[in-house]
Coordinates of all heavy atoms in Angstrom, one line a residue:
V1068 N -12.0 0.0 -7.9 CA -12.9 0.6 -6.9 C -13.9 -0.5 -6.5 O -14.2 -0.6 -5.3 CB -13.6 1.9 -7.5 CG1 -14.7 2.3 -6.5 CG2 -12.6 2.9 -7.8
P1076 N -15.4 6.6 1.3 CA -15.8 7.2 0.0 C -14.6 7.7 -0.8 O -13.6 8.0 -0.3 CB -16.8 8.3 0.4 CG -16.2 8.7 1.7 CD -15.8 7.5 2.4
Y1095 N -17.5 23.0 -29.7 CA -18.6 24.0 -29.7 C -18.0 25.4 -29.9 O -18.5 26.1 -30.8 CB -19.4 23.9 -28.4 CG -20.6 24.9 -28.4 CD1 -21.8 24.6 -29.0 CD2 -20.4 26.2 -27.9 CE1 -22.8 25.5 -29.1 CE2 -21.4 27.1 -28.0 CZ -22.6 26.7 -28.6 OH -23.6 27.6 -28.6
V1101 N -15.5 31.3 -31.5 CA -15.2 32.0 -30.3 C -14.1 31.3 -29.6 O -13.8 30.1 -29.9 CB -16.4 32.2 -29.3 CG1 -17.5 33.0 -30.0 CG2 -16.9 30.9 -28.8
Q1117 N -4.2 21.2 -17.9 CA -3.3 20.9 -19.0 C -4.0 20.2 -20.1 O -3.8 20.6 -21.3 CB -2.2 20.0 -18.5 CG -1.3 20.8 -17.5 CD -0.4 19.8 -16.7 OE1 -0.5 18.6 -16.8 NE2 0.4 20.4 -15.8
Q1121 N -4.3 21.7 -23.9 CA -3.9 20.8 -25.1 C -5.0 20.6 -26.1 O -4.7 20.5 -27.3 CB -3.4 19.5 -24.5 CG -2.1 19.5 -23.7 CD -1.9 18.2 -22.9 OE1 -2.6 17.2 -23.0 NE2 -0.9 18.2 -22.1
D1178 N -13.6 47.4 -11.3 CA -14.9 48.0 -11.4 C -15.1 49.3 -10.6 O -16.1 49.8 -10.3 CB -16.0 47.0 -10.9 CG -16.0 46.7 -9.4 OD1 -15.1 47.1 -8.7 OD2 -16.9 45.9 -9.0
R1234 N -7.7 46.1 -21.6 CA -7.8 45.1 -22.6 C -9.2 44.7 -23.1 O -9.3 44.1 -24.1 CB -7.1 43.8 -22.1 CG -5.6 43.8 -21.8 CD -4.8 43.6 -23.0 NE -5.0 42.3 -23.6 CZ -4.4 41.2 -23.2 NH1 -3.5 41.3 -22.2 NH2 -4.6 40.1 -23.8
G1245 N -34.5 35.0 -12.3 CA -36.0 35.3 -12.6 C -36.6 34.0 -13.1 O -35.9 33.0 -13.4
I1316 N -28.3 20.2 -11.7 CA -28.7 21.5 -12.3 C -28.0 21.7 -13.6 O -28.6 22.4 -14.5 CB -28.3 22.7 -11.3 CG1 -26.8 22.6 -10.9 CG2 -29.2 22.6 -10.1 CD1 -26.4 23.8 -10.1
A1357 N -31.1 2.8 5.0 CA -29.8 2.4 5.0 C -28.9 3.7 5.2 O -29.3 4.8 4.8 CB -29.4 1.7 3.8
I1417 N -21.5 -1.6 -2.4 CA -21.0 -0.3 -2.9 C -22.0 0.4 -3.8 O -22.6 -0.3 -4.6 CB -19.7 -0.6 -3.7 CG1 -18.5 -1.0 -2.8 CG2 -19.3 0.7 -4.5 CD1 -17.3 -1.3 -3.5
L1427 N -18.6 22.2 -5.9 CA -18.6 22.0 -4.5 C -18.4 20.5 -4.1 O -18.5 20.2 -2.9 CB -19.8 22.6 -3.8 CG -20.0 24.1 -4.0 CD1 -21.2 24.6 -3.1 CD2 -18.7 24.8 -3.6

Side-chain angles (χ1 to χ4, degrees):
V1068 174
Y1095 182 84
V1101 302
Q1117 292 162 3
Q1121 289 165 8
D1178 68 355
R1234 295 276 298 275
I1316 56 174
I1417 291 177
L1427 297 188

